[in-house]
Amino acid sequence: MKTINNVVCSFCGCLCDDIEVNIENNKIVNVKNACSLGLSKFLNYNKHRILKPRIRKSKEFVNVSLEEAINECVKILSNANYPIIYGWSNTSNEALRVGIEIAELIGGVIDNTTSVCHGPTIIGVQDIGESTSTLGQIKNRADLIIYWGSNPLHAHPRHLSRYTALSKGRFIKTRKERKVVVVDVRKTATANIADVFIQIKPNSDYELLTALRYAVNNGEIEQDEVAGVPVEKIEELAEMMVSCKFGALMFGLGLTMSPGKHRNIEAAIALVTDLNKYTKFVILPMRGHYNVTGANNVTCWITGYPFAVDFSKGYPYYNPGETTIADIIARGECDAALIVASDPISHLPIESARKLSKIPIVTIDPHETPTTRVSRVVIPSSYVGIECEGTAYRMDGVPLRLKKIVDPPDGIISDEEILKMILSKLKGD
Ligand code: SF4
């Protein structure tokens, strides 16, 4: 039996890099340090695998060679007038680099899952900037942790023990030295272990953030309550924020996807900016898929924009709401799709999913999904961080190298290699 240490878990944006994996006969037989989500990925990644490339011929799927699948993909992309290329949050930065080159070459739109999750966060940050930090700084120094619209005990189970409330930092060593506040519409598992839980009326985050800004700046709120929260509680939270030594506000989709969207994020960032007049305060989004932060970073360093980049004019053009794929599909404008490591048929709005299923789709994915089932071409790939290497960005923007710990099934290669073959054929090499 072989033991591999310091494996990075490629499940959620925490990218825990202390996983110990035991391998026997090219099989993962034991995993230490992972949470239940990470453990399940390491032990079950091989279920529902696609092991052969396939093409839909007269409504039925037929297994084909990799070369035939690549040729069909190239034919679909070359014949399209306005193709979309989508996914990327569950693959490596290296794969995405090739994907962006393909999008530019074919004059398509490249978008990542940010456009249906933390897109408003990115827009808010672009509008007014942000005071941020690494998770390491939060672990070592933060004495006030606020989770807003986020339930990390369920979505990022080791976030608290590795980086925040339950972690042992260099300067802040115990749970008693940190205060934890949860702001949410319901009492979540994380709220149960918080020192203060603030239950907010659904869809009124902007109001509460604005009231907090007012209180932090010594304003007197002339109401009994705001957003369902009594004014005394708002003032108490404002006082906790102002008087901490290092505060961290971490927010999830409960803030980005409630009405107000990027305005909510702007209000949260403005609150953190105000707090920096009095103390040290940072803000961080809780990113879900393990490399959605990488998808934004890589797209940004290559094109200048973090998602929804349209190359159809011959140069990168970005206008969320216009160039985001859910909108392009809803308007019926795209005529082919290349999907990499994502399942848009499951997560797009139903109308967009229905329209997407009507155009030729090429999907590169290790396992069966509703998207592979409606695709014209399916090319199986290996799992980054298990069967092949790659780089990913943790939710705080720290890049980590993911290891290969077992061999992929025969004939299965990485997303990056598949995309390089597609690019090379498109270029006519
Ligand atoms: S918290 Fe996330 S990255 Fe860490 S072990 Fe769990 S699923 Fe994996």
PDB file of all heavy atoms in Angstrom, residues 9 11-12 14-16 34-35 37-38 156-158, ligand 1:
ATOM      1  N   CYS A   9      -7.616  18.446  -1.916  1.00  0.00           N
ATOM      2  CA  CYS A   9      -8.971  17.972  -2.221  1.00  0.00           C
ATOM      3  C   CYS A   9      -9.607  18.876  -3.276  1.00  0.00           C
ATOM      4  O   CYS A   9      -9.764  20.073  -3.056  1.00  0.00           O
ATOM      5  CB  CYS A   9      -9.831  17.983  -0.954  1.00  0.00           C
ATOM      6  SG  CYS A   9     -11.564  17.657  -1.297  1.00  0.00           S
ATOM      7  N   PHE A  11     -12.649  19.351  -4.336  1.00  0.00           N
ATOM      8  CA  PHE A  11     -14.117  19.377  -4.281  1.00  0.00           C
ATOM      9  C   PHE A  11     -14.618  20.820  -4.137  1.00  0.00           C
ATOM     10  O   PHE A  11     -15.240  21.357  -5.027  1.00  0.00           O
ATOM     11  CB  PHE A  11     -14.661  18.489  -3.153  1.00  0.00           C
ATOM     12  CG  PHE A  11     -16.159  18.383  -3.199  1.00  0.00           C
ATOM     13  CD1 PHE A  11     -16.784  17.438  -3.986  1.00  0.00           C
ATOM     14  CD2 PHE A  11     -16.957  19.272  -2.485  1.00  0.00           C
ATOM     15  CE1 PHE A  11     -18.166  17.369  -4.084  1.00  0.00           C
ATOM     16  CE2 PHE A  11     -18.348  19.219  -2.565  1.00  0.00           C
ATOM     17  CZ  PHE A  11     -18.952  18.261  -3.359  1.00  0.00           C
ATOM     18  N   CYS A  12     -14.331  21.456  -3.004  1.00  0.00           N
ATOM     19  CA  CYS A  12     -14.858  22.815  -2.837  1.00  0.00           C
ATOM     20  C   CYS A  12     -13.724  23.847  -2.836  1.00  0.00           C
ATOM     21  O   CYS A  12     -12.543  23.504  -2.870  1.00  0.00           O
ATOM     22  CB  CYS A  12     -15.719  22.923  -1.578  1.00  0.00           C
ATOM     23  SG  CYS A  12     -14.805  23.192  -0.050  1.00  0.00           S
ATOM     24  N   CYS A  14     -12.309  25.476  -0.683  1.00  0.00           N
ATOM     25  CA  CYS A  14     -11.321  25.470   0.409  1.00  0.00           C
ATOM     26  C   CYS A  14     -10.003  24.847  -0.045  1.00  0.00           C
ATOM     27  O   CYS A  14      -8.955  25.134   0.525  1.00  0.00           O
ATOM     28  CB  CYS A  14     -11.830  24.664   1.600  1.00  0.00           C
ATOM     29  SG  CYS A  14     -13.106  25.468   2.548  1.00  0.00           S
ATOM     30  N   LEU A  15     -10.063  23.961  -1.046  1.00  0.00           N
ATOM     31  CA  LEU A  15      -8.867  23.259  -1.549  1.00  0.00           C
ATOM     32  C   LEU A  15      -7.967  22.791  -0.399  1.00  0.00           C
ATOM     33  O   LEU A  15      -6.760  23.106  -0.385  1.00  0.00           O
ATOM     34  CB  LEU A  15      -8.067  24.163  -2.493  1.00  0.00           C
ATOM     35  CG  LEU A  15      -8.587  24.363  -3.917  1.00  0.00           C
ATOM     36  CD1 LEU A  15      -7.592  25.181  -4.737  1.00  0.00           C
ATOM     37  CD2 LEU A  15      -8.862  23.047  -4.632  1.00  0.00           C
ATOM     38  N   CYS A  16      -8.512  22.064   0.549  1.00  0.00           N
ATOM     39  CA  CYS A  16      -7.711  21.578   1.688  1.00  0.00           C
ATOM     40  C   CYS A  16      -6.510  20.797   1.155  1.00  0.00           C
ATOM     41  O   CYS A  16      -6.674  19.867   0.350  1.00  0.00           O
ATOM     42  CB  CYS A  16      -8.575  20.682   2.579  1.00  0.00           C
ATOM     43  SG  CYS A  16      -9.952  21.558   3.305  1.00  0.00           S
ATOM     44  N   ALA A  34     -10.025  14.434   5.203  1.00  0.00           N
ATOM     45  CA  ALA A  34     -11.071  15.062   4.379  1.00  0.00           C
ATOM     46  C   ALA A  34     -12.394  15.108   5.145  1.00  0.00           C
ATOM     47  O   ALA A  34     -12.640  14.281   6.026  1.00  0.00           O
ATOM     48  CB  ALA A  34     -11.260  14.279   3.086  1.00  0.00           C
ATOM     49  N   CYS A  35     -13.245  16.084   4.809  1.00  0.00           N
ATOM     50  CA  CYS A  35     -14.608  16.098   5.360  1.00  0.00           C
ATOM     51  C   CYS A  35     -15.446  15.063   4.600  1.00  0.00           C
ATOM     52  O   CYS A  35     -14.956  14.423   3.661  1.00  0.00           O
ATOM     53  CB  CYS A  35     -15.213  17.494   5.204  1.00  0.00           C
ATOM     54  SG  CYS A  35     -15.546  17.915   3.485  1.00  0.00           S
ATOM     55  N   LEU A  37     -17.702  15.444   2.401  1.00  0.00           N
ATOM     56  CA  LEU A  37     -17.839  15.728   0.961  1.00  0.00           C
ATOM     57  C   LEU A  37     -16.578  15.310   0.214  1.00  0.00           C
ATOM     58  O   LEU A  37     -16.636  14.654  -0.828  1.00  0.00           O
ATOM     59  CB  LEU A  37     -18.080  17.234   0.738  1.00  0.00           C
ATOM     60  CG  LEU A  37     -19.337  17.842   1.358  1.00  0.00           C
ATOM     61  CD1 LEU A  37     -19.385  19.347   1.099  1.00  0.00           C
ATOM     62  CD2 LEU A  37     -20.576  17.191   0.786  1.00  0.00           C
ATOM     63  N   GLY A  38     -15.415  15.704   0.774  1.00  0.00           N
ATOM     64  CA  GLY A  38     -14.147  15.352   0.134  1.00  0.00           C
ATOM     65  C   GLY A  38     -13.947  13.846   0.130  1.00  0.00           C
ATOM     66  O   GLY A  38     -13.539  13.258  -0.882  1.00  0.00           O
ATOM     67  N   HIS A 156     -18.896  24.003   2.965  1.00  0.00           N
ATOM     68  CA  HIS A 156     -17.414  23.995   3.012  1.00  0.00           C
ATOM     69  C   HIS A 156     -17.036  23.484   4.396  1.00  0.00           C
ATOM     70  O   HIS A 156     -16.555  24.249   5.257  1.00  0.00           O
ATOM     71  CB  HIS A 156     -16.854  25.412   2.846  1.00  0.00           C
ATOM     72  CG  HIS A 156     -17.322  26.134   1.622  1.00  0.00           C
ATOM     73  ND1 HIS A 156     -18.521  26.813   1.563  1.00  0.00           N
ATOM     74  CD2 HIS A 156     -16.746  26.290   0.409  1.00  0.00           C
ATOM     75  CE1 HIS A 156     -18.645  27.345   0.359  1.00  0.00           C
ATOM     76  NE2 HIS A 156     -17.587  27.049  -0.351  1.00  0.00           N
ATOM     77  N   PRO A 157     -17.251  22.188   4.669  1.00  0.00           N
ATOM     78  CA  PRO A 157     -17.242  21.708   6.055  1.00  0.00           C
ATOM     79  C   PRO A 157     -15.966  21.979   6.856  1.00  0.00           C
ATOM     80  O   PRO A 157     -16.021  22.068   8.071  1.00  0.00           O
ATOM     81  CB  PRO A 157     -17.491  20.210   5.914  1.00  0.00           C
ATOM     82  CG  PRO A 157     -18.249  20.092   4.633  1.00  0.00           C
ATOM     83  CD  PRO A 157     -17.674  21.140   3.730  1.00  0.00           C
ATOM     84  N   ARG A 158     -14.801  22.125   6.190  1.00  0.00           N
ATOM     85  CA  ARG A 158     -13.581  22.355   6.979  1.00  0.00           C
ATOM     86  C   ARG A 158     -13.178  23.830   7.031  1.00  0.00           C
ATOM     87  O   ARG A 158     -12.100  24.162   7.555  1.00  0.00           O
ATOM     88  CB  ARG A 158     -12.435  21.508   6.413  1.00  0.00           C
ATOM     89  CG  ARG A 158     -12.714  20.007   6.525  1.00  0.00           C
ATOM     90  CD  ARG A 158     -11.531  19.194   6.056  1.00  0.00           C
ATOM     91  NE  ARG A 158     -10.431  19.170   7.000  1.00  0.00           N
ATOM     92  CZ  ARG A 158      -9.149  19.079   6.648  1.00  0.00           C
ATOM     93  NH1 ARG A 158      -8.817  19.034   5.379  1.00  0.00           N
ATOM     94  NH2 ARG A 158      -8.204  19.047   7.557  1.00  0.00           N
TER      95      ARG A 158
HETATM   96  S1  SF4 B   1     -13.739  21.399   3.017  1.00  0.00           S
HETATM   97 FE1  SF4 B   1     -13.871  21.252   0.807  1.00  0.00          FE
HETATM   98  S2  SF4 B   1     -11.750  21.054   0.069  1.00  0.00           S
HETATM   99 FE2  SF4 B   1     -11.770  20.613   2.292  1.00  0.00          FE
HETATM  100  S3  SF4 B   1     -11.942  18.394   2.414  1.00  0.00           S
HETATM  101 FE3  SF4 B   1     -14.030  19.237   2.523  1.00  0.00          FE
HETATM  102  S4  SF4 B   1     -14.757  19.259   0.393  1.00  0.00           S
HETATM  103 FE4  SF4 B   1     -12.533  18.972   0.346  1.00  0.00          FE
END
